Amino acid sequence: MNVEKYYIETYGCQMNKADSELIAGMLEGFSCRSVDSPEEADIILVNTCTVRENAEKRAISRLSQFKGLKKKNPDLILGLLGCVAQRNRGKIISEKSFIDIVLGPDSYRHLPEIFNGCKFPLLDVKLSRAEVYEGIIPYRRNKINAWISIMRGCDKFCSYCIVPYTRGRERSRSLKSIIDEVKKAIDDGYREVTLLGQNVNSYKYNNYRFPDLLDAVSGVQSVQRVRFISPHPKDIDNKMLELMRDRQNICNHIHLPLQAGSSRVLKSMNRVYNQREYLSVAEKIHGYLSDVAITTDIIVGFPGEMEEDFLETLKVMDKVVFDSAFMFKYSPRPGTKAALMKDGMSEEEKADRLTRVIEKQREHTLIRNNALVGSVQEVLIEDLSKKDPKEKMGRTVTNKIVIIKEGETEIGDLVKVKIEKALGVSLFGKIV
Ligand code: SAH
Ligand code: SF4
Ligand code: F3S
């Protein structure tokens, strides 16, 4: 049986997106080519997320949709990859016998076995303490920003979070292999590199820590922009901020997940900082970097979150005025500590709190973005605008989307743009 055409769909965080690029890299190595529609494929892979219940449901329903294609093409191979595979292990194959491959995040090296006539189902969900996919060249479809995974796993065990169970223990890639990948990406024409990790600033390889890596990456010749996600507030250190201040090419954007404002809730979340400590980190960031953007993640409705706790979240938002935020209703994940806590809050109440944080964030995003109206920003042009292909879309150093209405420019250009308007999460402007 020839497996010549693959189709990958990816859900979840950037780590998953980067993993899909590694998987694509492995398949391309066997002359298997990517196709844009599942109907054309010999193998369909769904790389899944289980961080909230909805994400998991979406992944499973997507796979079930692909099941229909097997009637027309009985040789079609269907694979479940990523965090849902890891969480459900072999169970899912016994329930859904149409799935041929179940591989967890540390088991993707098995994938090429499909080219050697392996037996199905191909199942492996062992977590590794060492796998960092050294030596595999990712196949990237985006041509502007190279995502580079620098560490895997998470040891923080926030009480609500499934990630430490699906991704296993923290481990980092060697500094040299990361730098080699950065150099290659630059040689291939990439303008921007984004260093990725569940706790990117927990990077640790021999004596090298995250600031050492950031120093080395931003020092690679011709790297125009360096980004990183997601740092943990507890591990933000002065050396990292000094580098961000002193190096032009490290982007002034820090994603600083708050999760909750109340120190009592933070403790029960096992976030290892309290409200005062979080606020002092945010203040320190603003002290070092005058025009930085701080973005965040917020969970509402954590077990035991009283109205007065929730008001503390709004209070922290008012103090920091985040540039943008991802906001979620708490979703219990079986196997985590918080799933055992009493969760007495109704869905309506959670939904109401979510609406209130979204409302506040909308105001704050506008305040931050309106402050840029009239200024000139450096923008990296990434794509055509989705709404109007005559217009272009790019990002500021602070990771804000800018739609360029006027002026000649090509994808990949770094241009100066005068910001004329802020609307929703986007800025609008013209090239100067
Ligand atoms: N490692 C990253 C976050 C990974 S998960 C970090 O710590 O910043 C991305 C976001 O999903 C988290 O920041 C959190 O806000 C949210 N999240 C994780 N588990 C959740 C749950 N059980 N319910 C709701 N939101 C959750
Ligand atoms: Fe999950 Fe916390 Fe680890 Fe982030 S730091 S991945 S929220 S356990
Ligand atoms: Fe989701 Fe796994 Fe990422 S659970 S958020 S895809 S690490």
Side-chain angles (χ1 to χ4, degrees):
M1 185 181 64
N2 285 336
V3 187
E4 291 169 352
K5 289 176 273 177
Y6 69 92
Y7 174 82
I8 305 187
E9 220 164 79
T10 309
Y11 296 88
C13 61
Q14 288 304 338
M15 299 291 295
N16 248 20
K17 290 180 188 141
D19 280 356
S20 286
E21 293 179 347
L22 285 175
I23 290 159
M26 283 188 232
L27 297 176
E28 296 275 335
F30 285 81
S31 302
C32 197
R33 295 290 168 254
S34 137
V35 288
D36 290 327
S37 80
E39 288 78 11
E40 293 171 64
D42 304 316
I43 176 168
I44 299 178
L45 298 168
V46 185
N47 194 0
T48 57
C49 172
T50 181
V51 79
R52 285 168 291 278
E53 195 186 353
N54 278 344
E56 172 151 339
K57 280 196 184 140
R58 198 176 316 133
I60 306 263
S61 88
R62 197 61 184 137
L63 269 171
S64 302
Q65 284 171 15
F66 292 140
K67 180 184 165 191
L69 294 176
K70 275 203 157 184
K71 291 209 185 81
K72 280 184 232 148
N73 174 11
D75 287 337
L76 175 67
I77 304 170
L78 263 185
L80 169 68
L81 309 178
C83 293
V84 173
Q86 190 62 43
R87 198 174 87 76
N88 291 276
R89 300 164 190 253
K91 195 175 108 220
I92 205 142
I93 289 195
S94 50
E95 285 166 8
K96 304 204 184 307
S97 56
F98 59 90
I99 300 178
D100 306 294
I101 299 175
V102 175
L103 294 175
D106 286 344
S107 305
Y108 301 144
R109 283 188 197 267
H110 285 296
L111 213 46
E113 291 170 21
I114 59 171
F115 302 106
N116 304 327
C118 71
K119 273 219 185 80
F120 292 113
L122 178 62
L123 166 74
D124 188 17
V125 288
K126 273 193 290 299
L127 285 172
S128 157
R129 288 194 171 252
E131 181 62 272
V132 285
Y133 295 108
E134 213 76 277
I136 294 175
I137 299 163
Y139 178 77
R140 301 187 171 94
R141 300 190 84 182
N142 151 346
K143 295 291 168 225
I144 303 297
N145 183 349
W147 302 97
I148 299 183
S149 161
I150 64 159
M151 54 88 67
R152 299 181 73 85
C154 179
D155 289 349
K156 289 277 195 287
F157 286 94
C158 302
S159 63
Y160 51 81
C161 185
I162 195 74
V163 171
Y165 304 93
T166 62
R167 292 263 166 183
R169 298 289 61 75
E170 271 176 27
R171 64 219 103 120
S172 297
R173 277 175 69 184
S174 76
L175 189 100
K176 181 179 180 303
S177 79
I178 296 167
I179 297 301
D180 287 347
E181 192 174 336
V182 170
K183 285 184 179 154
K184 182 172 184 311
I186 299 306
D187 283 347
D188 290 346
Y190 286 88
R191 302 304 173 96
E192 185 173 276
V193 296
T194 303
L195 309 177
L196 290 178
Q198 282 302 352
N199 278 297
V200 80
N201 52 345
S202 303
Y203 177 83
K204 189 171 160 211
Y205 186 83
N206 294 342
N207 289 325
Y208 299 118
R209 298 291 190 271
F210 185 66
D212 304 313
L213 178 69
L214 201 55
D215 183 7
V217 169
S218 59
V220 170
Q221 209 180 1
S222 306
V223 177
Q224 286 179 319
R225 284 184 167 189
V226 181
R227 298 185 184 278
F228 56 89
I229 53 168
S230 289
H232 192 286
K234 189 74 186 174
D235 301 332
I236 299 271
D237 68 355
N238 296 353
K239 205 171 155 206
M240 180 189 107
L241 295 173
E242 277 162 24
L243 268 171
M244 291 181 75
R245 181 193 60 201
D246 297 342
R247 293 279 164 89
Q248 271 287 308
N249 60 354
I250 306 178
C251 290
N252 266 358
H253 166 222
I254 297 186
H255 188 67
L256 196 68
L258 167 67
Q259 312 302 2
S262 145
S263 294
R264 197 180 65 81
V265 172
L266 285 169
K267 185 148 192 252
S268 155
M269 286 178 159
N270 192 28
R271 283 297 286 182
V272 297
Y273 52 81
N274 60 27
Q275 181 189 98
R276 188 179 43 77
E277 287 164 333
Y278 182 92
L279 286 172
S280 80
V281 172
E283 207 172 299
K284 186 156 85 177
I285 293 171
H286 277 129
Y288 271 92
L289 311 165
S290 54
D291 43 12
V292 68
I294 302 182
T295 58
T296 201
D297 291 349
I298 290 171
I299 297 176
V300 300
F302 185 76
E305 183 189 76
M306 310 298 283
E307 175 67 14
E308 69 244 37
D309 295 307
F310 174 68
L311 293 177
E312 295 294 305
T313 298
L314 296 180
K315 186 175 110 188
V316 174
M317 292 174 81
D318 279 327
K319 286 204 167 152
V320 181
V321 190
F322 295 108
D323 288 79
S324 71
F326 295 111
M327 294 157 283
F328 311 103
K329 269 194 283 186
Y330 168 69
S331 165
R333 307 310 291 129
T336 61
K337 271 212 172 125
L340 302 172
M341 297 176 190
K342 194 160 165 273
D343 180 15
M345 199 182 306
S346 68
E347 271 306 302
E348 290 73 44
E349 216 168 337
K350 285 187 196 171
D352 174 62
R353 286 186 188 168
L354 185 64
T355 311
R356 287 154 73 196
V357 284
I358 290 173
E359 268 309 306
K360 181 163 291 294
Q361 187 52 50
R362 194 171 288 147
E363 287 165 27
H364 289 170
T365 300
L366 260 186
I367 292 174
R368 289 289 185 201
N369 287 358
N370 272 329
L372 299 179
V373 172
S375 73
V376 173
Q377 299 288 320
E378 182 202 82
V379 173
L380 176 61
I381 306 296
E382 293 186 4
D383 209 343
L384 304 177
S385 152
K386 287 204 178 67
K387 285 220 181 94
D388 181 351
K390 287 196 291 298
E391 299 170 356
K392 302 258 174 22
M393 173 287 226
R395 272 174 215 272
T396 62
V397 168
T398 50
N399 210 30
K400 293 174 193 283
I401 292 173
V402 185
I403 305 296
I404 312 226
K405 298 238 161 227
E406 278 174 51
E408 278 301 305
T409 170
E410 295 296 326
I411 292 173
D413 286 352
L414 212 48
V415 291
K416 298 271 182 219
V417 175
K418 173 131 192 223
I419 306 300
E420 296 179 316
K421 189 170 73 175
L423 201 69
V425 291
S426 303
L427 299 167
F428 295 81
K430 67 173 181 205
I431 293 180
V432 291

